[in-house]
């Protein structure tokens, strides 16, 4: 058991294949292997201060961090890329990239060729990691939780986030959108109340969503936009924080 209360975990995020997860903590960053469960690496408070968000790129040496918490060294409006494999005397020289905005960063998602940065009302897409260039930006409705998911598949570059209409999802195929243009994402009307949680499966063929009521989870085909399954948890309201569709490809085809 990881003693989260003593160490002050601000957030955690799995990598793209969910073989590892990283914890953004008041004491820095901790990276864990899932099977077997063991610590894989860490960045101490002396190196990075307290961290609000962290995101891994697969099992590579690249880590995205956003400052926050009680004693941060880095700003909440900047995403910093830490290259742990870089051999330098000064740990600050392991910070190889910086993306700075005018408002706090609420979420970061990465795939092998792109990084997604989520603000309250806007989402930015950059090429990554070599010579990053802003490719797209999308306006969103108020998104205080930074809800967003990105398909890691080589075949499908799908991005999903809350739509402008309450309870809706917007999906963008980044591979079919020209850089520098404003694409019109297609919309799925998933719920009547605000979206509280969303996730794509590994192949990007299915998106799941839950509303703030927390009574059911709906799964949709990302190509046809048809509802595939409705999973009812119960009638009492509940708050859903996270779920995964890692095995849903197997379940759909069984």
């Amino acid at each position: 058991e990881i003693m989260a209360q003593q160490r002050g975990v601000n957030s955690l995020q799995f990598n793209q294949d969910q073989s590892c997860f990283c914890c953004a903590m008041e004491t820095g960053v901790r990276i864990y292997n899932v099977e077997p469960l063991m610590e894989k690496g860490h960045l101490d408070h002396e190196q990075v201060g307290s961290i609000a968000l962290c995101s891994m790129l697969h099992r590579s040496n690249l880590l995205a961090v956003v400052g926050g918490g009680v004693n941060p060294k880095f700003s909440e409006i900047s995403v910093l890329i830490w290259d742990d494999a870089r051999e330098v005397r000064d740990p600050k020289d392991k910070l190889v990239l910086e993306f700075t905005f005018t408002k706090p960063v609420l979420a970061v998602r990465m795939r092998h060729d792109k990084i997604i940065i989520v603000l309250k009302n806007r989402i930015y897409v950059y090429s990554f990691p070599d010579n990053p260039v802003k490719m797209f930006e999308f306006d969103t409705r108020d998104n205080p939780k930074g809800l967003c998911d990105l398909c890691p598949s080589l075949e499908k570059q799908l991005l999903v986030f809350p739509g402008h209409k309450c309870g809706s999802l917007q999906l963008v195929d980044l591979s079919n959108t020209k850089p520098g243009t404003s694409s019109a994402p297609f919309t799925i009307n998933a719920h009547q109340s605000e979206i509280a949680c969303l996730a794509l499966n590994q192949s990007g063929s299915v998106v799941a969503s839950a509303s703030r009521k927390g009574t059911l989870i709906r799964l949709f085909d990302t190509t046809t936009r048809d509802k595939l399954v409705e999973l009812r948890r119960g009638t009492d309201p509940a708050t859903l924080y996270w779920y995964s569709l890692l095995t849903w490809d197997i379940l759909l085809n069984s």
Side-chain angles (χ1 to χ4, degrees):
E1 181 181 347
I2 302 165
M3 295 169 32
Q5 290 184 341
Q6 292 184 11
R7 297 188 179 183
V9 176
N10 293 322
S11 66
L12 64 84
Q13 187 176 320
F14 283 86
N15 69 343
Q16 287 75 14
D17 65 2
Q18 299 187 6
S19 62
C20 296
F21 63 93
C22 53
C23 300
M25 307 175 72
E26 293 296 334
T27 54
V29 174
R30 293 288 183 272
I31 301 169
Y32 294 90
N33 190 71
V34 171
E35 186 61 45
L37 182 60
M38 59 184 294
E39 185 174 319
K40 185 174 180 285
H42 62 270
L43 305 178
D44 290 331
H45 186 273
E46 292 72 23
Q47 295 173 289
V48 297
S50 55
I51 296 295
L53 301 169
C54 60
S55 181
M56 299 175 63
L57 181 60
H58 297 283
R59 298 180 70 95
S60 75
N61 50 293
L62 296 179
L63 191 72
V65 295
V66 178
V70 175
N71 190 21
K73 282 192 175 184
F74 309 134
S75 172
E76 65 178 359
I77 66 172
S78 294
V79 177
L80 301 169
I81 305 300
W82 180 280
D83 185 349
D84 201 50
R86 196 174 190 189
E87 295 183 2
V88 292
R89 290 185 178 180
D90 188 343
K92 288 184 180 179
D93 291 333
K94 291 194 173 189
L95 294 169
V96 295
L97 289 172
E98 180 175 347
F99 303 85
T100 300
F101 305 89
T102 58
K103 295 182 180 179
V105 175
L106 301 178
V108 180
R109 297 290 183 268
M110 292 190 287
R111 51 177 283 131
H112 73 282
D113 59 351
K114 291 180 179 65
I115 183 169
I116 314 297
I117 299 170
V118 185
L119 310 186
K120 185 179 178 181
N121 293 104
R122 186 161 293 182
I123 293 177
Y124 294 91
V125 181
Y126 292 84
S127 59
F128 185 78
D130 298 324
N131 302 314
V133 175
K134 185 173 74 172
M135 302 179 70
F136 316 105
E137 58 182 272
F138 304 102
D139 291 330
T140 68
R141 68 184 290 109
D142 279 355
N143 185 15
K145 294 174 66 177
L147 297 177
C148 172
D149 203 9
L150 178 65
C151 176
S153 169
L154 294 174
E155 291 75 31
K156 201 163 191 175
Q157 300 183 33
L158 196 64
L159 175 68
V160 60
F161 49 91
H164 287 284
K165 180 183 175 183
C166 179
S168 68
L169 302 173
Q170 290 195 8
L171 291 96
V172 185
D173 185 350
L174 299 176
S175 63
N176 291 332
T177 305
K178 294 181 180 180
T181 64
S182 58
S183 170
F186 67 83
T187 302
I188 294 175
N189 294 315
H191 302 273
Q192 293 183 338
S193 55
E194 294 283 358
I195 300 293
C197 206
L198 55 82
L200 289 164
N201 64 343
Q202 289 284 298
S203 65
S205 61
V206 176
V207 61
S209 64
S211 73
R212 288 183 182 174
K213 289 183 179 179
T215 54
L216 53 84
I217 297 172
R218 289 180 174 139
L219 283 77
F220 298 88
D221 185 302
T222 59
T223 301
T224 65
R225 306 182 224 178
D226 293 335
K227 184 170 69 175
L228 300 173
V229 180
E230 183 171 289
L231 305 172
R232 183 167 292 276
R233 184 200 57 80
T235 55
D236 295 331
T239 301
L240 297 179
Y241 292 97
W242 181 84
Y243 49 71
S244 168
L245 290 182
L246 184 64
T247 58
W248 195 257
D249 292 310
I250 300 172
L251 293 174
L252 283 178
N253 294 320
S254 62

